[in-house]
Amino acid sequence: MSEPLRVVAVADADSFVKWSASLLGSVPGIRAHLLLVKTPLTASAAQERTALAGAGLDASSVSRIAFREAGPWLEAQRPDVVLLAGRGPFVRLMGRVIDTLSRRPVTVAGLPGMAIPAQRGALEYRRHADLLVVHSHREEWAFEELGRRIGVQVPTALATLPFAKTRARMLSPELVRSAGARGVLVAERSAGQVPRPPATDLVFASQALVPMEREERAEIAATLVKAANADPNRRVVVKLRSRPGEAETHLEHDAYIDLLEGRRPSNLVVSYDSMADALSTAAGLVTVSSTAAIEAVALGVPVIALDSFGVSKSLLNTVFVGSGLLGGRSEVIAGRFRHPHPNWLRDNYFHPESESTWWQRVEELVAQRRAGALPARPVRYGRGGAVKAAWHRASVLGRDDRTLSGRAALAFGVPATRAMAAVRDRRRAPGLGTWSDASTDYTLEPNPFHDSIRR
């Protein structure tokens, strides 16, 4: 293709901003732009700066607009490719905007981190995409099987997680040594590099969704306090995604900042910096199931994937079975972090770069569209028609949807969906492909999280 392809990522929430900017920033020779559409989840200016750090896309390539401006903006820009980067309802809403364009771009969608288990809603909301980007062979297999079982076929293509590409850190495995009676890992720079303090931090990557129970989150907070008290010379860094008043991708209940209030030792600190910055001084990372674990592994930072509350789909940590990374609270306090088993890596996010062919597939789809050989995959309204569409729009946009139809749909839809969710929860039963079944990498049920996009 002679002219550089014009590629626009349309995003709102912080994790999708980071993912889409990093994904496009990794593709050479394109004209990339990031379009942030205003919703209640849209990243703040500070979150945007953090997300763009090291992404390969600078602030001059970012625009912020209201939803009503998205259609005219895209119509004027005429992109070849649109990457829809947001939670499922946002992707579906923007898919309807794509349907109105006179020159239809290739539509790509994906998820911003580890996507095991493959969730039914994640696939159904993106069924109108021309291509679904996944980040591991295991995800390829999981979404293929999920699609077969629910009758939704979306072509997939493999991409390396853009912010977790293996790259040189300030240390190599040979330069990691054990220090102190507790075996806390200490990492040093190699000779000839600019000196800096040893990497001794214990970094905790918090998550909004898991664990769900307040008692379990309080136990994690208590573990971090114990880890800080166990070694006053070691910083324990609680890495948070949003400052007070900011939104993030998922709705957090029982925030760690509140659970730690009034009980923090001086060496237990909170950070809103990028994960890359946090890991640059980390001797080890602890998390339940954050994608930050993959980012840490890529940098050579050892990890503990906390299994004190079990290993289950609802904790999003079944992906770590067989990795050698699972560990308990006592190991966190002692600083006994570990590196993954080599046999786990290839199918779980560390495949050879040559197998990441998503961009080649995108170029093929662009050529097909230009030749008129790629059928459109429009968003179907289904039952409910315009009323349901108004409900979907208002659910995503919140108070930014000032239409009467949106307000009416919310007034009726909020109590109705709560009632349906309660009935659905009572009907949950164990079985193949459920959230309680750890033998599969997909779920046929709606997810169990209380994670409304309405804020």
Side-chain angles (χ1 to χ4, degrees), residues 64 198 223 329 421:
R64 287 177 175 262
T223 298
R329 284 168 289 180

Side-chain angles (χ1 to χ4, degrees), residues 369-446:
R369 175 128 300 155
R370 289 176 175 177
L374 183 64
R377 299 169 66 105
V379 178
R380 305 296 183 188
Y381 280 80
R383 290 177 297 179
V387 174
K388 192 171 185 179
W391 156 253
H392 289 161
R393 184 185 65 245
S395 295
V396 174
L397 300 180
R399 63 177 60 92
D400 289 317
D401 181 9
R402 297 183 175 87
T403 64
L404 290 176
S405 61
R407 292 176 186 173
L410 280 181
F412 170 77
V414 169
T417 53
R418 286 174 180 166
M420 288 188 290
V423 171
R424 186 177 62 221
D425 288 343
R426 288 195 295 270
R427 290 178 177 174
R428 288 189 194 278
L432 187 65
T434 65
W435 281 90
S436 60
D437 170 31
S439 70
T440 65
D441 275 343
Y442 59 86
T443 63
L444 303 178
E445 297 179 311

